[in-house]
Amino acid sequence: MRNDLSATLTQREAIIAACRVMNRNGLNQGTSGNISMRQGEGMLITPTSLPYDTMEPDDIVWMGFDGSVSGKRQASSEWRFHLDILRAKPDVNAVVHAHPTACTTVAIMEKSIPPLHYMIAICGGHDIRCAPYATFGTSELSENALAALEDRSACLLAHHGMIATGRTLDRAMWLAVEVETLARQYLGCLPFGEPPLLSVEEIQNVISRMANYGHAS
Ligand code: 13P
């Protein structure tokens, strides 16, 4: 049976469950990270600085694409890039932002993840770009993230963390774990030097094959 959290839980409950999973599975720590889901003409997003273990459904904040806000809490400090990504990418319904250690280590080095493994193709191209640094919560960070996400479903944020997106929250969470795995593999290679890479053509070939396999987004 497919483990589709969002099918059985309300969107608010699904967001909280995903936050707890990402902290439990080591993808994130403390109150870092934030998750949003498209809802109508806006999004539901985690509140800022609230521990996930005590978060309740009515702590989740609703923000409209028109700038309207409703909720008893203040929205995540990263609401800008969540809103801008959901507005710019109609096929994306969930955005996961976390500070996973391997992704963040690569991002601290201001490196993109190159095509070292064929699974890089799940992000839509031959690399996972690292967006240039900008202060958290700023429109500059949002612009940098959107540029890094062009034709890609995930990116790194320099000196900060990563963003994974998906048609569903389950897909975005799955992608976040896969991107962290690729980052870990990259870090594992680097002591031997820069790894040999697959070609851009081969990654395009893998993307075509994946369309018939189940990894397509
Ligand atoms: P929030 O607690 O405001 O969501 O911020 C956490 C974070 O990861 C900022 O990048």
Side-chain angles (χ1 to χ4, degrees):
M1 196 172 77
R2 190 154 174 264
N3 179 24
D4 190 345
L5 281 174
S6 45
T8 50
L9 303 176
T10 67
Q11 280 185 301
R12 287 167 185 265
E13 288 168 335
I15 288 172
I16 295 169
C19 287
R20 291 176 185 166
V21 165
M22 80 174 174
N23 274 26
R24 262 202 308 278
N25 71 9
L27 203 61
N28 196 61
Q29 53 283 315
T31 60
S32 296
N34 23 74
I35 292 182
S36 66
M37 283 181 89
R38 183 185 301 278
Q39 191 188 63
E41 288 303 303
M43 67 175 179
L44 290 168
I45 186 163
T46 45
T48 188
S49 322
L50 196 70
Y52 299 129
D53 281 339
T54 56
M55 204 175 275
E56 301 281 351
D58 66 349
D59 289 321
I60 302 295
V61 181
W62 189 85
M63 296 188 85
F65 292 132
D66 61 359
S68 53
V69 185
S70 120
K72 64 176 193 180
R73 301 274 182 191
Q74 196 182 329
S76 164
S77 55
E78 299 295 14
W79 63 267
R80 260 173 220 282
F81 70 61
H82 285 267
L83 203 71
D84 289 348
I85 291 167
L86 290 168
R87 214 179 350 221
K89 292 177 173 267
D91 56 329
V92 167
N93 293 309
V95 179
V96 173
H97 166 56
H99 298 178
T101 302
C103 281
T104 306
T105 305
V106 175
I108 288 168
M109 298 308 293
E110 302 182 356
K111 280 175 171 288
S112 298
I113 305 178
L116 54 106
H117 190 292
Y118 80 86
M119 282 293 277
I120 200 112
I122 57 174
C123 294
H126 68 280
D127 60 2
I128 299 167
R129 300 186 192 103
C130 182
Y133 180 77
T135 309
F136 80 94
T138 58
S139 8
E140 190 188 353
L141 177 62
S142 182
E143 280 163 29
N144 293 352
L146 268 181
L149 285 169
E150 193 177 343
D151 301 323
R152 300 286 189 275
S153 51
C155 71
L156 306 182
L157 302 175
H159 306 276
H160 185 158
M162 63 93 79
I163 298 174
T165 68
R167 276 185 198 283
T168 64
L169 181 53
D170 284 352
R171 172 76 189 188
M173 288 290 287
W174 172 81
L175 193 68
V177 171
E178 293 294 335
V179 173
E180 175 65 354
T181 302
L182 287 162
R184 232 177 11 248
Q185 289 161 354
Y186 190 29
L187 293 177
C189 293
L190 286 175
F192 301 95
E194 283 290 341
L197 300 177
L198 297 170
S199 66
V200 174
E201 294 71 33
E202 175 52 14
I203 296 302
Q204 285 308 318
N205 177 33
V206 172
I207 289 172
S208 311
R209 288 180 78 92
M210 279 179 171
N212 303 317
Y213 177 70
H215 279 315
S217 57

PDB file of all heavy atoms in Angstrom, residues 84-116:
ATOM      1  N   ASP A  84       7.099  32.009  -3.333  1.00  0.00           N
ATOM      2  CA  ASP A  84       7.585  32.270  -4.695  1.00  0.00           C
ATOM      3  C   ASP A  84       7.723  30.981  -5.499  1.00  0.00           C
ATOM      4  O   ASP A  84       7.414  30.961  -6.695  1.00  0.00           O
ATOM      5  CB  ASP A  84       8.944  33.004  -4.644  1.00  0.00           C
ATOM      6  CG  ASP A  84       8.793  34.451  -4.165  1.00  0.00           C
ATOM      7  OD1 ASP A  84       7.643  34.935  -4.097  1.00  0.00           O
ATOM      8  OD2 ASP A  84       9.823  35.081  -3.842  1.00  0.00           O
ATOM      9  N   ILE A  85       8.176  29.905  -4.853  1.00  0.00           N
ATOM     10  CA  ILE A  85       8.311  28.618  -5.574  1.00  0.00           C
ATOM     11  C   ILE A  85       6.929  28.102  -5.960  1.00  0.00           C
ATOM     12  O   ILE A  85       6.697  27.699  -7.107  1.00  0.00           O
ATOM     13  CB  ILE A  85       9.067  27.581  -4.701  1.00  0.00           C
ATOM     14  CG1 ILE A  85      10.530  27.983  -4.528  1.00  0.00           C
ATOM     15  CG2 ILE A  85       8.960  26.172  -5.324  1.00  0.00           C
ATOM     16  CD1 ILE A  85      11.286  27.207  -3.440  1.00  0.00           C
ATOM     17  N   LEU A  86       5.984  28.116  -5.026  1.00  0.00           N
ATOM     18  CA  LEU A  86       4.635  27.599  -5.319  1.00  0.00           C
ATOM     19  C   LEU A  86       3.954  28.456  -6.384  1.00  0.00           C
ATOM     20  O   LEU A  86       3.213  27.950  -7.230  1.00  0.00           O
ATOM     21  CB  LEU A  86       3.797  27.551  -4.040  1.00  0.00           C
ATOM     22  CG  LEU A  86       4.253  26.480  -3.030  1.00  0.00           C
ATOM     23  CD1 LEU A  86       3.572  26.683  -1.681  1.00  0.00           C
ATOM     24  CD2 LEU A  86       3.969  25.070  -3.549  1.00  0.00           C
ATOM     25  N   ARG A  87       4.210  29.766  -6.370  1.00  0.00           N
ATOM     26  CA  ARG A  87       3.628  30.661  -7.374  1.00  0.00           C
ATOM     27  C   ARG A  87       4.248  30.417  -8.754  1.00  0.00           C
ATOM     28  O   ARG A  87       3.556  30.376  -9.759  1.00  0.00           O
ATOM     29  CB  ARG A  87       3.861  32.112  -6.958  1.00  0.00           C
ATOM     30  CG  ARG A  87       2.724  32.998  -7.380  1.00  0.00           C
ATOM     31  CD  ARG A  87       2.842  34.453  -6.988  1.00  0.00           C
ATOM     32  NE  ARG A  87       3.896  34.814  -6.069  1.00  0.00           N
ATOM     33  CZ  ARG A  87       3.734  35.672  -5.080  1.00  0.00           C
ATOM     34  NH1 ARG A  87       2.549  36.194  -4.850  1.00  0.00           N
ATOM     35  NH2 ARG A  87       4.748  36.027  -4.316  1.00  0.00           N
ATOM     36  N   ALA A  88       5.562  30.199  -8.766  1.00  0.00           N
ATOM     37  CA  ALA A  88       6.271  30.065 -10.053  1.00  0.00           C
ATOM     38  C   ALA A  88       6.139  28.682 -10.672  1.00  0.00           C
ATOM     39  O   ALA A  88       6.306  28.517 -11.877  1.00  0.00           O
ATOM     40  CB  ALA A  88       7.749  30.395  -9.857  1.00  0.00           C
ATOM     41  N   LYS A  89       5.859  27.670  -9.856  1.00  0.00           N
ATOM     42  CA  LYS A  89       5.864  26.289 -10.359  1.00  0.00           C
ATOM     43  C   LYS A  89       4.506  25.639 -10.067  1.00  0.00           C
ATOM     44  O   LYS A  89       4.322  25.031  -9.000  1.00  0.00           O
ATOM     45  CB  LYS A  89       6.988  25.488  -9.686  1.00  0.00           C
ATOM     46  CG  LYS A  89       8.392  25.945 -10.094  1.00  0.00           C
ATOM     47  CD  LYS A  89       9.435  25.141  -9.331  1.00  0.00           C
ATOM     48  CE  LYS A  89      10.834  25.414  -9.803  1.00  0.00           C
ATOM     49  NZ  LYS A  89      11.335  24.514 -10.837  1.00  0.00           N
ATOM     50  N   PRO A  90       3.579  25.724 -11.020  1.00  0.00           N
ATOM     51  CA  PRO A  90       2.230  25.198 -10.770  1.00  0.00           C
ATOM     52  C   PRO A  90       2.183  23.696 -10.513  1.00  0.00           C
ATOM     53  O   PRO A  90       1.236  23.208  -9.898  1.00  0.00           O
ATOM     54  CB  PRO A  90       1.462  25.545 -12.051  1.00  0.00           C
ATOM     55  CG  PRO A  90       2.336  26.445 -12.846  1.00  0.00           C
ATOM     56  CD  PRO A  90       3.737  26.363 -12.312  1.00  0.00           C
ATOM     57  N   ASP A  91       3.199  22.953 -10.967  1.00  0.00           N
ATOM     58  CA  ASP A  91       3.206  21.497 -10.741  1.00  0.00           C
ATOM     59  C   ASP A  91       3.761  21.126  -9.361  1.00  0.00           C
ATOM     60  O   ASP A  91       3.740  19.957  -8.984  1.00  0.00           O
ATOM     61  CB  ASP A  91       4.020  20.793 -11.843  1.00  0.00           C
ATOM     62  CG  ASP A  91       5.434  21.331 -11.938  1.00  0.00           C
ATOM     63  OD1 ASP A  91       5.639  22.536 -11.639  1.00  0.00           O
ATOM     64  OD2 ASP A  91       6.343  20.566 -12.288  1.00  0.00           O
ATOM     65  N   VAL A  92       4.250  22.099  -8.626  1.00  0.00           N
ATOM     66  CA  VAL A  92       4.770  21.838  -7.264  1.00  0.00           C
ATOM     67  C   VAL A  92       3.660  22.128  -6.251  1.00  0.00           C
ATOM     68  O   VAL A  92       3.038  23.189  -6.281  1.00  0.00           O
ATOM     69  CB  VAL A  92       6.010  22.720  -6.974  1.00  0.00           C
ATOM     70  CG1 VAL A  92       6.352  22.709  -5.495  1.00  0.00           C
ATOM     71  CG2 VAL A  92       7.202  22.245  -7.784  1.00  0.00           C
ATOM     72  N   ASN A  93       3.422  21.167  -5.368  1.00  0.00           N
ATOM     73  CA  ASN A  93       2.403  21.349  -4.319  1.00  0.00           C
ATOM     74  C   ASN A  93       2.981  21.296  -2.912  1.00  0.00           C
ATOM     75  O   ASN A  93       2.240  21.498  -1.948  1.00  0.00           O
ATOM     76  CB  ASN A  93       1.312  20.291  -4.472  1.00  0.00           C
ATOM     77  CG  ASN A  93       0.526  20.509  -5.747  1.00  0.00           C
ATOM     78  OD1 ASN A  93       0.057  21.621  -6.003  1.00  0.00           O
ATOM     79  ND2 ASN A  93       0.414  19.485  -6.571  1.00  0.00           N
ATOM     80  N   ALA A  94       4.270  20.971  -2.789  1.00  0.00           N
ATOM     81  CA  ALA A  94       4.886  20.908  -1.462  1.00  0.00           C
ATOM     82  C   ALA A  94       6.354  21.325  -1.554  1.00  0.00           C
ATOM     83  O   ALA A  94       7.044  20.992  -2.529  1.00  0.00           O
ATOM     84  CB  ALA A  94       4.788  19.495  -0.891  1.00  0.00           C
ATOM     85  N   VAL A  95       6.799  22.059  -0.542  1.00  0.00           N
ATOM     86  CA  VAL A  95       8.200  22.524  -0.483  1.00  0.00           C
ATOM     87  C   VAL A  95       8.756  22.157   0.893  1.00  0.00           C
ATOM     88  O   VAL A  95       8.150  22.482   1.916  1.00  0.00           O
ATOM     89  CB  VAL A  95       8.279  24.059  -0.697  1.00  0.00           C
ATOM     90  CG1 VAL A  95       9.725  24.533  -0.600  1.00  0.00           C
ATOM     91  CG2 VAL A  95       7.665  24.467  -2.035  1.00  0.00           C
ATOM     92  N   VAL A  96       9.892  21.455   0.874  1.00  0.00           N
ATOM     93  CA  VAL A  96      10.564  21.061   2.116  1.00  0.00           C
ATOM     94  C   VAL A  96      11.912  21.777   2.168  1.00  0.00           C
ATOM     95  O   VAL A  96      12.712  21.662   1.239  1.00  0.00           O
ATOM     96  CB  VAL A  96      10.793  19.524   2.158  1.00  0.00           C
ATOM     97  CG1 VAL A  96      11.650  19.129   3.357  1.00  0.00           C
ATOM     98  CG2 VAL A  96       9.455  18.790   2.194  1.00  0.00           C
ATOM     99  N   HIS A  97      12.134  22.523   3.236  1.00  0.00           N
ATOM    100  CA  HIS A  97      13.444  23.155   3.442  1.00  0.00           C
ATOM    101  C   HIS A  97      14.029  22.590   4.731  1.00  0.00           C
ATOM    102  O   HIS A  97      13.340  22.535   5.748  1.00  0.00           O
ATOM    103  CB  HIS A  97      13.295  24.672   3.555  1.00  0.00           C
ATOM    104  CG  HIS A  97      14.519  25.348   4.102  1.00  0.00           C
ATOM    105  ND1 HIS A  97      15.765  25.203   3.528  1.00  0.00           N
ATOM    106  CD2 HIS A  97      14.705  26.158   5.176  1.00  0.00           C
ATOM    107  CE1 HIS A  97      16.653  25.891   4.224  1.00  0.00           C
ATOM    108  NE2 HIS A  97      16.034  26.481   5.231  1.00  0.00           N
ATOM    109  N   ALA A  98      15.296  22.137   4.666  1.00  0.00           N
ATOM    110  CA  ALA A  98      15.945  21.570   5.847  1.00  0.00           C
ATOM    111  C   ALA A  98      17.431  21.924   5.814  1.00  0.00           C
ATOM    112  O   ALA A  98      17.932  22.476   4.828  1.00  0.00           O
ATOM    113  CB  ALA A  98      15.745  20.055   5.871  1.00  0.00           C
ATOM    114  N   HIS A  99      18.091  21.602   6.919  1.00  0.00           N
ATOM    115  CA  HIS A  99      19.537  21.831   7.025  1.00  0.00           C
ATOM    116  C   HIS A  99      20.241  20.490   7.221  1.00  0.00           C
ATOM    117  O   HIS A  99      20.906  20.273   8.241  1.00  0.00           O
ATOM    118  CB  HIS A  99      19.846  22.756   8.216  1.00  0.00           C
ATOM    119  CG  HIS A  99      19.257  24.125   8.141  1.00  0.00           C
ATOM    120  ND1 HIS A  99      19.415  25.059   9.146  1.00  0.00           N
ATOM    121  CD2 HIS A  99      18.515  24.739   7.184  1.00  0.00           C
ATOM    122  CE1 HIS A  99      18.785  26.182   8.815  1.00  0.00           C
ATOM    123  NE2 HIS A  99      18.221  26.009   7.632  1.00  0.00           N
ATOM    124  N   PRO A 100      20.104  19.551   6.289  1.00  0.00           N
ATOM    125  CA  PRO A 100      20.733  18.236   6.479  1.00  0.00           C
ATOM    126  C   PRO A 100      22.258  18.360   6.398  1.00  0.00           C
ATOM    127  O   PRO A 100      22.777  19.136   5.590  1.00  0.00           O
ATOM    128  CB  PRO A 100      20.201  17.392   5.326  1.00  0.00           C
ATOM    129  CG  PRO A 100      19.425  18.301   4.444  1.00  0.00           C
ATOM    130  CD  PRO A 100      19.470  19.683   4.984  1.00  0.00           C
ATOM    131  N   THR A 101      22.949  17.586   7.198  1.00  0.00           N
ATOM    132  CA  THR A 101      24.390  17.816   7.368  1.00  0.00           C
ATOM    133  C   THR A 101      25.203  17.677   6.080  1.00  0.00           C
ATOM    134  O   THR A 101      26.051  18.524   5.789  1.00  0.00           O
ATOM    135  CB  THR A 101      24.934  16.855   8.446  1.00  0.00           C
ATOM    136  OG1 THR A 101      24.193  17.097   9.638  1.00  0.00           O
ATOM    137  CG2 THR A 101      26.400  17.100   8.732  1.00  0.00           C
ATOM    138  N   ALA A 102      24.956  16.631   5.298  1.00  0.00           N
ATOM    139  CA  ALA A 102      25.778  16.441   4.086  1.00  0.00           C
ATOM    140  C   ALA A 102      25.484  17.538   3.058  1.00  0.00           C
ATOM    141  O   ALA A 102      26.416  18.143   2.503  1.00  0.00           O
ATOM    142  CB  ALA A 102      25.532  15.055   3.495  1.00  0.00           C
ATOM    143  N   CYS A 103      24.210  17.812   2.802  1.00  0.00           N
ATOM    144  CA  CYS A 103      23.858  18.882   1.850  1.00  0.00           C
ATOM    145  C   CYS A 103      24.444  20.211   2.307  1.00  0.00           C
ATOM    146  O   CYS A 103      24.996  20.977   1.508  1.00  0.00           O
ATOM    147  CB  CYS A 103      22.333  19.050   1.771  1.00  0.00           C
ATOM    148  SG  CYS A 103      21.519  17.823   0.764  1.00  0.00           S
ATOM    149  N   THR A 104      24.317  20.477   3.593  1.00  0.00           N
ATOM    150  CA  THR A 104      24.778  21.772   4.103  1.00  0.00           C
ATOM    151  C   THR A 104      26.300  21.864   4.038  1.00  0.00           C
ATOM    152  O   THR A 104      26.852  22.931   3.751  1.00  0.00           O
ATOM    153  CB  THR A 104      24.240  21.991   5.537  1.00  0.00           C
ATOM    154  OG1 THR A 104      22.818  21.819   5.502  1.00  0.00           O
ATOM    155  CG2 THR A 104      24.549  23.372   6.044  1.00  0.00           C
ATOM    156  N   THR A 105      26.983  20.738   4.257  1.00  0.00           N
ATOM    157  CA  THR A 105      28.455  20.753   4.160  1.00  0.00           C
ATOM    158  C   THR A 105      28.882  21.077   2.725  1.00  0.00           C
ATOM    159  O   THR A 105      29.764  21.917   2.503  1.00  0.00           O
ATOM    160  CB  THR A 105      29.027  19.388   4.602  1.00  0.00           C
ATOM    161  OG1 THR A 105      28.541  19.095   5.915  1.00  0.00           O
ATOM    162  CG2 THR A 105      30.536  19.399   4.621  1.00  0.00           C
ATOM    163  N   VAL A 106      28.235  20.439   1.747  1.00  0.00           N
ATOM    164  CA  VAL A 106      28.548  20.735   0.336  1.00  0.00           C
ATOM    165  C   VAL A 106      28.227  22.206   0.043  1.00  0.00           C
ATOM    166  O   VAL A 106      28.993  22.921  -0.628  1.00  0.00           O
ATOM    167  CB  VAL A 106      27.760  19.792  -0.616  1.00  0.00           C
ATOM    168  CG1 VAL A 106      27.992  20.171  -2.073  1.00  0.00           C
ATOM    169  CG2 VAL A 106      28.163  18.334  -0.371  1.00  0.00           C
ATOM    170  N   ALA A 107      27.084  22.685   0.593  1.00  0.00           N
ATOM    171  CA  ALA A 107      26.654  24.062   0.351  1.00  0.00           C
ATOM    172  C   ALA A 107      27.587  25.080   1.019  1.00  0.00           C
ATOM    173  O   ALA A 107      27.763  26.185   0.519  1.00  0.00           O
ATOM    174  CB  ALA A 107      25.219  24.246   0.846  1.00  0.00           C
ATOM    175  N   ILE A 108      28.180  24.701   2.139  1.00  0.00           N
ATOM    176  CA  ILE A 108      29.155  25.588   2.796  1.00  0.00           C
ATOM    177  C   ILE A 108      30.374  25.763   1.885  1.00  0.00           C
ATOM    178  O   ILE A 108      30.970  26.841   1.815  1.00  0.00           O
ATOM    179  CB  ILE A 108      29.563  25.028   4.178  1.00  0.00           C
ATOM    180  CG1 ILE A 108      28.411  25.188   5.166  1.00  0.00           C
ATOM    181  CG2 ILE A 108      30.829  25.705   4.711  1.00  0.00           C
ATOM    182  CD1 ILE A 108      28.580  24.410   6.472  1.00  0.00           C
ATOM    183  N   MET A 109      30.692  24.704   1.150  1.00  0.00           N
ATOM    184  CA  MET A 109      31.819  24.776   0.199  1.00  0.00           C
ATOM    185  C   MET A 109      31.392  25.465  -1.107  1.00  0.00           C
ATOM    186  O   MET A 109      32.172  25.563  -2.049  1.00  0.00           O
ATOM    187  CB  MET A 109      32.345  23.367  -0.108  1.00  0.00           C
ATOM    188  CG  MET A 109      32.903  22.616   1.104  1.00  0.00           C
ATOM    189  SD  MET A 109      34.128  23.555   2.029  1.00  0.00           S
ATOM    190  CE  MET A 109      35.462  23.642   0.846  1.00  0.00           C
ATOM    191  N   GLU A 110      30.126  25.932  -1.169  1.00  0.00           N
ATOM    192  CA  GLU A 110      29.560  26.633  -2.340  1.00  0.00           C
ATOM    193  C   GLU A 110      29.655  25.779  -3.597  1.00  0.00           C
ATOM    194  O   GLU A 110      29.900  26.266  -4.693  1.00  0.00           O
ATOM    195  CB  GLU A 110      30.224  28.002  -2.524  1.00  0.00           C
ATOM    196  CG  GLU A 110      30.075  28.877  -1.289  1.00  0.00           C
ATOM    197  CD  GLU A 110      30.672  30.269  -1.432  1.00  0.00           C
ATOM    198  OE1 GLU A 110      31.283  30.549  -2.483  1.00  0.00           O
ATOM    199  OE2 GLU A 110      30.533  31.059  -0.483  1.00  0.00           O
ATOM    200  N   LYS A 111      29.459  24.460  -3.398  1.00  0.00           N
ATOM    201  CA  LYS A 111      29.547  23.525  -4.526  1.00  0.00           C
ATOM    202  C   LYS A 111      28.159  23.021  -4.890  1.00  0.00           C
ATOM    203  O   LYS A 111      27.329  22.786  -4.005  1.00  0.00           O
ATOM    204  CB  LYS A 111      30.394  22.309  -4.139  1.00  0.00           C
ATOM    205  CG  LYS A 111      31.893  22.534  -4.197  1.00  0.00           C
ATOM    206  CD  LYS A 111      32.602  21.290  -3.662  1.00  0.00           C
ATOM    207  CE  LYS A 111      34.092  21.335  -3.887  1.00  0.00           C
ATOM    208  NZ  LYS A 111      34.502  21.153  -5.282  1.00  0.00           N
ATOM    209  N   SER A 112      27.925  22.804  -6.181  1.00  0.00           N
ATOM    210  CA  SER A 112      26.750  22.069  -6.637  1.00  0.00           C
ATOM    211  C   SER A 112      27.094  20.589  -6.570  1.00  0.00           C
ATOM    212  O   SER A 112      28.275  20.216  -6.545  1.00  0.00           O
ATOM    213  CB  SER A 112      26.427  22.451  -8.082  1.00  0.00           C
ATOM    214  OG  SER A 112      26.124  23.829  -8.144  1.00  0.00           O
ATOM    215  N   ILE A 113      26.063  19.720  -6.539  1.00  0.00           N
ATOM    216  CA  ILE A 113      26.342  18.277  -6.596  1.00  0.00           C
ATOM    217  C   ILE A 113      26.385  17.886  -8.078  1.00  0.00           C
ATOM    218  O   ILE A 113      25.407  18.073  -8.802  1.00  0.00           O
ATOM    219  CB  ILE A 113      25.264  17.459  -5.845  1.00  0.00           C
ATOM    220  CG1 ILE A 113      25.135  17.953  -4.391  1.00  0.00           C
ATOM    221  CG2 ILE A 113      25.608  15.967  -5.881  1.00  0.00           C
ATOM    222  CD1 ILE A 113      24.058  17.249  -3.577  1.00  0.00           C
ATOM    223  N   PRO A 114      27.529  17.371  -8.545  1.00  0.00           N
ATOM    224  CA  PRO A 114      27.679  17.040  -9.972  1.00  0.00           C
ATOM    225  C   PRO A 114      27.091  15.645 -10.271  1.00  0.00           C
ATOM    226  O   PRO A 114      26.693  14.918  -9.347  1.00  0.00           O
ATOM    227  CB  PRO A 114      29.203  17.053 -10.154  1.00  0.00           C
ATOM    228  CG  PRO A 114      29.739  16.614  -8.824  1.00  0.00           C
ATOM    229  CD  PRO A 114      28.763  17.090  -7.772  1.00  0.00           C
ATOM    230  N   PRO A 115      27.060  15.244 -11.561  1.00  0.00           N
ATOM    231  CA  PRO A 115      26.472  13.945 -11.935  1.00  0.00           C
ATOM    232  C   PRO A 115      27.373  12.759 -11.585  1.00  0.00           C
ATOM    233  O   PRO A 115      27.902  12.074 -12.463  1.00  0.00           O
ATOM    234  CB  PRO A 115      26.264  14.077 -13.450  1.00  0.00           C
ATOM    235  CG  PRO A 115      27.242  15.092 -13.882  1.00  0.00           C
ATOM    236  CD  PRO A 115      27.434  16.050 -12.742  1.00  0.00           C
ATOM    237  N   LEU A 116      27.531  12.504 -10.291  1.00  0.00           N
ATOM    238  CA  LEU A 116      28.412  11.420  -9.842  1.00  0.00           C
ATOM    239  C   LEU A 116      27.680  10.096  -9.774  1.00  0.00           C
ATOM    240  O   LEU A 116      28.304   9.034  -9.741  1.00  0.00           O
ATOM    241  CB  LEU A 116      29.008  11.765  -8.469  1.00  0.00           C
ATOM    242  CG  LEU A 116      28.004  12.120  -7.366  1.00  0.00           C
ATOM    243  CD1 LEU A 116      27.870  10.990  -6.381  1.00  0.00           C
ATOM    244  CD2 LEU A 116      28.396  13.396  -6.692  1.00  0.00           C
TER     245      LEU A 116
END
